[in-house]
Amino acid sequence: MIFEGQSIQCTLSDKGIANMCFNNQNESVNKFDRATLNEWRQVIELLKDNKDVKAVIATSGKPVFIVGADITEFNELFASSREELLGWLVEANEVFTGFEDLPFPTAVAIDGMALGGGLEMCLTCDFRIASNKAQVGLPESKLGLVPGFGGSVRLARIIGPDNAFEWLSTGKAYKADKALAVGTLDAVVDSEYLIDSTEQMLLDAVEGKLDWEARRAEKKAPLQLNKTEATMSFMTSKAYIASQAGPHYPAPVRGVQLIEDSAAMKLEDAIKAEHEAFADMAQTAQASALIQLFLNDQVLKKKAKIAGKTADIDVKNATVLGAGIMGGGIAYQSASRGVPAIMKDINPDALEQGMEEAIKLFGKGVKYGKISTEKMAQGIASIKPTLSYDEIKHTDIVVEAVVENPKVKESVLAEVEGLMPEDAIICSNTSTISIDRLAKSLKRPEKFCGMHFFNPVHKMPLVEIIRGEKTSDETIASVVAYASKMGKSPVVVNDCPGFFVNRVLFPYFGGFTKLVRDGADFQQVDKVMSKKFGWPMGPAYLLDVVGMDTGRHAAEVMAEGFPDRMSKEEKDAIDVMFENDRYGQKSGSGFYVYGKDKKGRPTKEADPKAYELLKEVAAETKSFEDEEIIARTMLPMIIETVRCLEEGIIDSPAEGDMALIYGLGFPPFRGGVFKYVDEQGIESIVELAKKYQHLGKAYEPTTGMLEMAKEGKKFYQSDLS
């Protein structure tokens, strides 16, 4: 034994090959934290002067290699001064370069995932061999960062700048065959041969059959590009990546700039340039928000894992009541994740439409290489359309997705409860109707909750799990576990009008309609809220997508539930569109008019008729400053979101922010409402609210917000908590 620590163990074989095994004794996965880096430094010191060592193989004792850096350790670091951050980068990179400079060949055997810092460790090795189940990548751009352990500049020298640009900008994890094709890996073998193959490659290097020193020297040299090649590569890549990333995500472009700036440098100097780039990105608002988003997602995953252990039912078969596109989408999502689904409807045409939707989605999976045709056939076969209730006698869970009418839902729920097993769970995919109201029609309300999917089901990650007054903890746990099994991110909320997501969305729409009332051009509002604030679409376009009939119905529910701040005394833009049968995309016209171009691609254009109709409820059109448009639309949403936290509708800022990002497409680079408020400062938000509170109760800050502003508090007590 050369070294035995908590994170790394190192042994020496009789062939002179040291096996440096990453195997954290305190964690389920390997990651680069300070303790691991310190142990790695000690191992390097022991290896470099050991005359018995001829080569080193890096391995893992876990099902994955190394998942990356431990981002939770860097909370204080990212909030520290630039000088402190750069000092830490120098110290950490001394370990990576120290391993790279060992006086004998090095290789890594990658079995499983090597991401971020894990791949950066692999790039320091002379040879990289992986099993066919390995995945490698540099996902730092997804956190608003560039690699900090030499990954960007080493990768560019190994696979060329153009390939490196793609890896850095997308942040994807690449399968072994893809990584082999571009040269990130040197060989791919079956897992059972991985260690032997890697050791043989090292023995060949020791015997001079492989020139490891030449490979190392090439990696440490400047990029091998002539001036013309370099100019073309960098100019084209920067323009393309900037257009794809957009102005709110600077990290991908900074990564390209780094490689360009360091192209003529030796690796040692290129790594120093990477330090500067990392520091530039690490202390941006985008990185802070995206890292918080990552940590919040871990909160959801942890809660889902706990739910799986406390659930009283392991859902192995499901029933969807109500077919059509929504029912077909839910059935597909369940079946595609291995939970067979019965799809029940009273209408044969609806069943046919539901099956067509499921088949279409499975077909897309085959088209894009996500599943095989065999898996597609199995998935389709596991969805059983039926007109009869006979099929549900042995189901574990029923998801009701019939028309959004309380009387219809109450009737269906009461009927199905008498036919299903007594211990089975029943859920409603309602978007607005009170769970407590629906529960009154049931004999076992403790086995009932809401399970609100967002449309389109296969794309939207969020499922709201709505707890009723009598819903049991075991029922909630079982439904959370089922949603997680379906590949969704469940967030548990308490029952109230609109639940959480719709409750906070409609004040945003209210802010928009008041702007239109006061003369704002809906196209200008859409442009500001999408291009500048970062929403996937502005409020007018979103209303067209939601459907004016749906929007009007939900607005009425909100007004009834919260009359002091969500009722309206006068007709608004939504009413005008609805009364003129302009329901949005579904009818071909709303604020915009929809059609297809000559190639059959969908089109969206502002319709002069919409402006004419809006004159009934709108003042003469005038221009508004971008900041006013953002304030007047976002403040009602922000304040209502805070109310939901204060009232216990949501459990934490983390869950609230993830629900808005996964359910509404809130701009990820802003991190969600709570992170956005922290970034702007609660004092600034309160002052802005006071400025506009003449517009109504929706703009009045809560008592809790006023207290937080006085005390200078944040929702996230540290930037990355």
Side-chain angles (χ1 to χ4, degrees), residues 435-436 448-450 466-472 476 493-495:
I435 294 302
D436 287 332
F448 174 66
C449 69
I466 304 103
R467 181 196 298 272
E469 184 181 354
K470 296 184 178 179
T471 308
S472 72
I476 291 295
V493 305
N494 282 316
D495 189 28

Side-chain angles (χ1 to χ4, degrees), residues 84-324:
E84 289 176 295
L85 179 55
L86 288 170
W88 174 81
L89 287 167
V90 169
E91 184 180 328
N93 273 279
E94 285 175 353
V95 183
F96 284 79
T97 55
F99 186 78
E100 187 172 44
D101 291 340
L102 286 172
F104 35 70
T106 59
V108 59
I110 309 167
D111 199 17
M113 289 186 294
L115 303 175
L119 178 57
E120 290 182 280
M121 184 276 149
C122 299
L123 296 175
T124 66
C125 297
D126 300 315
F127 304 100
R128 288 164 296 282
I129 300 87
S131 75
N132 45 26
K133 66 180 183 182
Q135 291 186 54
V136 296
L138 295 172
E140 284 83 356
S141 64
K142 293 182 177 180
L143 299 179
L145 303 169
V146 297
F149 297 148
S152 50
V153 292
R154 284 192 179 93
L155 188 66
R157 282 155 177 75
I158 291 169
I159 67 174
D162 288 339
N163 287 323
F165 295 153
E166 179 187 333
W167 280 53
L168 291 169
S169 62
T170 64
K172 289 181 182 177
Y174 293 86
K175 292 183 178 179
D177 57 342
K178 299 289 186 185
L180 177 65
V182 297
T184 307
L185 301 177
D186 296 305
V188 176
V189 298
D190 290 339
S191 291
E192 59 186 302
Y193 304 119
L194 179 59
I195 301 300
D196 288 344
S197 298
T198 307
E199 288 183 346
Q200 186 57 54
M201 188 172 281
L202 282 172
L203 291 173
D204 288 346
V206 170
E207 294 170 9
K209 296 176 183 177
L210 295 173
D211 195 343
W212 61 275
E213 290 175 300
R215 288 171 63 93
R216 189 180 292 185
E218 184 178 348
K219 182 173 58 174
K220 290 190 168 191
L223 281 172
Q224 301 300 307
L225 289 175
N226 64 47
K227 191 172 182 180
T228 303
E229 287 176 329
T231 301
M232 289 298 295
S233 175
F234 296 132
M235 284 182 63
T236 304
S237 296
K238 273 195 293 189
Y240 176 74
I241 290 171
S243 69
Q244 294 296 303
H248 303 301
Y249 297 89
V253 177
R254 187 66 180 90
V256 175
Q257 187 66 52
L258 162 64
I259 293 174
E260 179 180 8
D261 292 344
S262 62
M265 299 177 185
K266 292 182 179 179
L267 182 61
E268 180 183 358
D269 295 323
I271 289 172
K272 293 176 183 176
E274 187 183 86
H275 295 171
E276 298 291 337
F278 183 90
D280 288 345
M281 294 296 98
Q283 298 183 319
T284 61
Q286 289 94 334
S288 179
L290 291 169
I291 292 168
Q292 188 66 61
L293 190 159
F294 171 80
L295 296 174
N296 290 351
D297 190 53
Q298 299 306 301
V299 170
L300 298 192
K301 287 182 168 64
K302 183 177 180 181
K303 288 202 168 192
K305 190 174 181 180
I306 293 171
K309 294 178 180 178
T310 57
D312 61 348
I313 294 178
D314 178 16
V315 176
K316 294 180 179 176
N317 52 77
T319 296
V320 180
L321 289 184

Side-chain angles (χ1 to χ4, degrees), residues 365-477:
V366 172
K367 180 180 178 181
Y368 295 114
K370 294 181 178 179
I371 59 170
S372 65
T373 52
E374 183 182 5
K375 288 284 186 184
M376 172 182 172
Q378 290 172 351
I380 293 171
S382 69
I383 301 175
K384 187 172 184 179
T386 181
L387 297 168
S388 170
Y389 275 126
D390 291 341
E391 303 288 348
I392 72 168
K393 291 178 180 177
H394 304 290
T395 195
D396 293 322
I397 191 168
V398 169
V399 181
E400 169 272 307
V402 302
V403 64
E404 190 75 353
N405 179 301
K407 291 184 179 179
V408 173
K409 285 184 181 289
E410 286 166 355
S411 174
V412 169
L413 291 170
E415 183 179 15
V416 75
E417 184 187 36
L419 300 170
M420 58 194 287
E422 285 202 5
D423 62 342
I425 293 168
I426 187 167
C427 306
S428 176
N429 178 43
T430 177
S431 57
T432 57
I433 303 169
S434 167
I435 294 302
D436 287 332
R437 172 179 173 170
L438 295 176
K440 289 177 182 177
S441 65
L442 298 172
K443 295 177 181 177
R444 298 186 294 276
E446 72 279 1
K447 304 294 289 185
F448 174 66
C449 69
M451 192 177 190
H452 178 206
F453 291 85
F454 290 76
N455 204 18
V457 174
H458 67 287
K459 285 187 176 180
M460 301 301 285
L462 179 68
V463 174
E464 270 185 311
I465 311 297
I466 304 103
R467 181 196 298 272
E469 184 181 354
K470 296 184 178 179
T471 308
S472 72
D473 290 343
E474 293 78 11
T475 294
I476 291 295

